[in-house]
Structure formats: C-alpha cells, structure tokens
C-alpha cells in the first residue's frame, strides 16, 4: 500500500517544485481535480446565474480556481506551499493568491465570502507535523475563523480523503463546535476508485444534505467525461431559456438534491401566445 502524502512530509515540503509541476503536466491528475471542483460547486447550491465571491482553501496551482472562473465567479485562494502558488502565478489565474497555513485560521473579515471550496486539503489538518501542532485545536481554529468569514446563508464544501472513521468524526466534531451544520456526502460509495468524500457545511441552520451520486438512482449519476467534452466543443454557455439551457439547469438541480419534474418532449418548447 502506498504511503499517504500527509504521512510523508508537511504540505509545504511535500508540495515542492517537482510535485507542483505535476499539476500542469499530468492530464489525469488535472482532470480529476476539475471534476471534484465541479462537484463541490454543485454542492454549494449557489444562486442561479449570479456571480459570487468564493474562497478556495488549499488552492494549489489554481486548477480549482480556473473552474470557479469558468462558472463566472470571483475567487481568492490560500495555500501553504510557495511552489504551488508559483505555478498558479505562472498559469496567470485571475484569483488573488495568499500564502497561508489554514491551521492558523482564515485571515479575512467577517462575512466576506458567499461560499468556500476545498479540494484534497482538509486531511492535512488531521496530522501533527510539528510538536506544537495539535490537530483538534488547529481544526477548531480553522473552522471557527472560516465560519466567521462566510455570509450567513453560505456553504463550504470540502472534498477530502479521510484515513478512517476517527478522522471523519474529528473533522465533523470540530466543524460543529465552530457553529456549522451539515455532514458528509459520499459519492459512488460502492466504487473503490470513484468513491469521494465531501464535507458539506452550512452556516444558516440545518438543511437536508444533497443526494450522493452513484447510489443506485439513475438521476444522480453524472458522466463528467462527456460533460467536459461538450464544454470543449462548445465555447460559451447554452442560449438562455433554450431547451439545452433548461435541461442543463434541471440536471444541475437534480444533482443538488432538489425536486425536479421529469423531462418530456414538451420541455423547453415555446408556448403559443393564444392562451
């Protein structure tokens, strides 16, 4: 069994220049990162067709930020690795970049953000890389400062790789103590390779968690590969109010766990003005 990255070295050491370059050269790694960020954005339940200010926690080389940009949002990214942030700067991402240890808290004013995403970063806080590091205290410091920096209807979504059930309990307990509601959404729970954990946190009170993908309900299964191919072939969004635009909007709401009417031959059809 391969050793987990967070057991090899602290993140600012593990993500050196060599490791950082993989996020611009390894197409498989880049595709996975994009897919997970697209799913995290769906779980945020952002307002339709409204640009938001989002925080990207552990932004790395800016791949997730590019997804946020493509969806019309403004973002600020924080990361502890100078090498990863250098790659982001080389890629000329639009977001502002900040070198910061999330275990020391999120350095922003109260209510600054409409939401937050994080891809493959949260599990690093479950380890003590230094004798002064206490995972419980660092997680609480992080979550409490994040809670303060979010608007009161905002969500934060973390894709992460928990090592075991104890880490899941550790993370969710500290998030709850900091004021968040929410829980874990596990996509494709029966697949060894596709299984993904998302911590979905809410600031505005308890709400039902979104439905997980790949749990047997055909409505929840998304072919990310075909979605990316369509995006590459067609630059720009579907014409607003067109059949394609309506179908995409309905599918997006299904993935967010909302009740949506079934598609039919009448979906998106223009109504006659005779009534």
């Amino acid at each position: 069994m391969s050793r987990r990255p967070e057991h090899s070295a602290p993140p600012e050491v593990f993500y050196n220049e060599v490791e950082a370059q993989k996020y611009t050269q390894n197409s498989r790694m880049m595709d996975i990162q994009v897919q997970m960020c697209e799913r995290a954005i769906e779980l945020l339940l952002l307002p339709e067709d409204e640009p938001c200010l989002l925080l990207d926690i552990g932004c790395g080389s800016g791949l997730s930020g590019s997804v946020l940009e493509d969806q019309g949002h403004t973002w600020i990214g924080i990361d502890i690795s100078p090498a990863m942030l250098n790659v982001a700067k080389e890629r000329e991402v639009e977001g502002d970049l900040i070198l910061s240890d999330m275990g020391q808290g999120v350095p922003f004013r109260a209510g600054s953000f409409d939401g937050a995403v994080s891809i493959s970063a949260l599990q690093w806080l479950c380890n003590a890389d230094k004798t002064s590091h206490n995972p419980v205290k660092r997680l609480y410091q992080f979550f409490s400062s994040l809670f303060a920096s979010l608007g009161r209807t905002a969500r934060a979504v973390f894709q992460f790789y928990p090592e075991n059930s104890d880490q899941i309990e550790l993370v969710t307990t500290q998030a709850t103590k900091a004021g968040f509601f929410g829980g874990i959404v596990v996509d494709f729970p029966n697949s060894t390779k596709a299984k993904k954990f998302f911590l979905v946190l809410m600031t505005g009170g308890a709400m039902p968690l979104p439905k997980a993908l790949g749990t047997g309900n055909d409505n929840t299964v998304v072919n990310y590969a075909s979605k990316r191919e369509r995006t590459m072939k067609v630059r720009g969004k579907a014409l607003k109010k067109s059949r394609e635009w309506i179908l995409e909007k309905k599918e997006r709401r299904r993935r967010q766990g909302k009740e949506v009417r079934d598609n039919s031959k009448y979906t998106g059809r223009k109504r006659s003005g005779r009534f």
Side-chain angles (χ1 to χ4, degrees):
M1 183 180 291
S2 59
R3 194 179 186 189
R4 290 173 64 95
E6 64 268 26
H7 293 171
S8 303
E12 66 271 28
V13 176
F14 179 83
Y15 290 106
N16 54 26
E17 285 78 6
V18 174
E19 193 69 24
Q21 287 302 319
K22 294 180 182 179
Y23 287 82
T24 60
Q25 299 170 353
N26 187 320
S27 59
R28 179 179 176 275
M29 185 179 292
M30 294 167 67
D31 283 348
I32 292 173
Q33 187 89 357
V34 168
Q35 291 172 24
M36 293 189 296
C37 186
E38 287 175 343
R39 176 59 173 154
I41 295 170
E42 288 175 357
L43 294 172
L44 279 180
L45 291 182
L46 297 171
E48 291 283 348
D49 303 315
E50 184 177 316
C52 297
L53 176 60
L54 303 176
L55 177 62
D56 186 356
I57 303 159
C59 64
S61 62
L63 286 174
S64 299
S66 295
V67 177
L68 300 178
E69 293 168 16
D70 291 343
Q71 297 203 15
H73 303 300
T74 303
W75 62 282
I76 296 174
I78 63 172
D79 201 283
I80 197 173
S81 166
M84 294 292 274
L85 292 178
N86 284 337
V87 170
K89 285 189 283 188
E90 290 171 5
R91 295 181 62 246
E92 297 183 344
V93 297
E94 294 179 10
D96 293 328
L97 305 172
I98 298 174
L99 180 64
S100 178
D101 174 9
M102 62 182 185
Q104 294 181 357
V106 177
F108 300 102
R109 292 183 301 179
S112 296
F113 296 99
D114 301 308
V117 296
S118 179
I119 308 300
S120 309
L122 185 61
Q123 68 270 9
W124 289 89
L125 283 185
C126 296
N127 291 282
D129 296 319
K130 302 176 182 177
T131 55
S132 60
H133 283 185
N134 180 318
V136 172
K137 291 182 178 179
R138 282 168 58 78
L139 280 164
Y140 178 76
Q141 175 67 23
F142 167 66
F143 283 127
S144 59
S145 60
L146 176 63
F147 184 87
S149 73
L150 293 173
R152 286 294 77 98
T153 58
R155 291 187 175 198
V157 176
F158 300 80
Q159 180 278 323
F160 73 119
Y161 295 101
E163 188 171 0
N164 48 46
S165 58
D166 290 340
Q167 279 196 357
I168 294 176
E169 184 176 354
L170 171 64
V171 166
T172 53
T173 297
Q174 296 310 310
T176 302
K177 285 184 178 179
F180 284 108
F181 298 85
I184 301 288
V185 173
V186 184
D187 283 351
F188 306 103
N190 300 317
S191 170
T192 303
K193 291 185 177 180
K195 185 176 184 179
K196 292 291 181 291
F197 289 82
F198 291 87
L199 175 63
V200 180
L201 300 179
M202 313 167 194
T203 60
M207 297 282 288
L209 285 173
K211 294 179 181 178
L213 302 183
T215 56
N217 184 341
D218 290 339
N219 285 340
T220 67
V221 179
V222 184
N223 188 332
Y224 282 108
S226 62
K227 182 179 178 182
R228 286 200 310 280
E229 288 170 4
R230 291 200 307 272
T231 304
M232 293 174 68
K233 289 178 182 178
V234 183
R235 295 293 178 181
K237 298 181 179 179
L239 185 65
K240 196 167 185 178
K241 303 298 183 183
S242 66
R243 177 177 170 82
E244 182 184 357
W245 181 86
I246 292 171
L247 291 174
E248 287 180 0
K249 186 173 182 179
K250 291 176 72 175
E251 182 60 30
R252 188 160 60 246
R253 290 189 171 184
R254 287 192 188 101
R255 291 195 295 267
Q256 293 171 343
K258 296 180 179 180
E259 293 294 329
V260 180
R261 289 184 180 180
D262 293 337
N263 297 335
S264 74
K265 63 180 181 180
Y266 300 107
T267 301
R269 178 177 290 186
K270 289 186 178 181
R271 300 288 193 267
S272 169
R274 290 176 292 179
F275 295 105

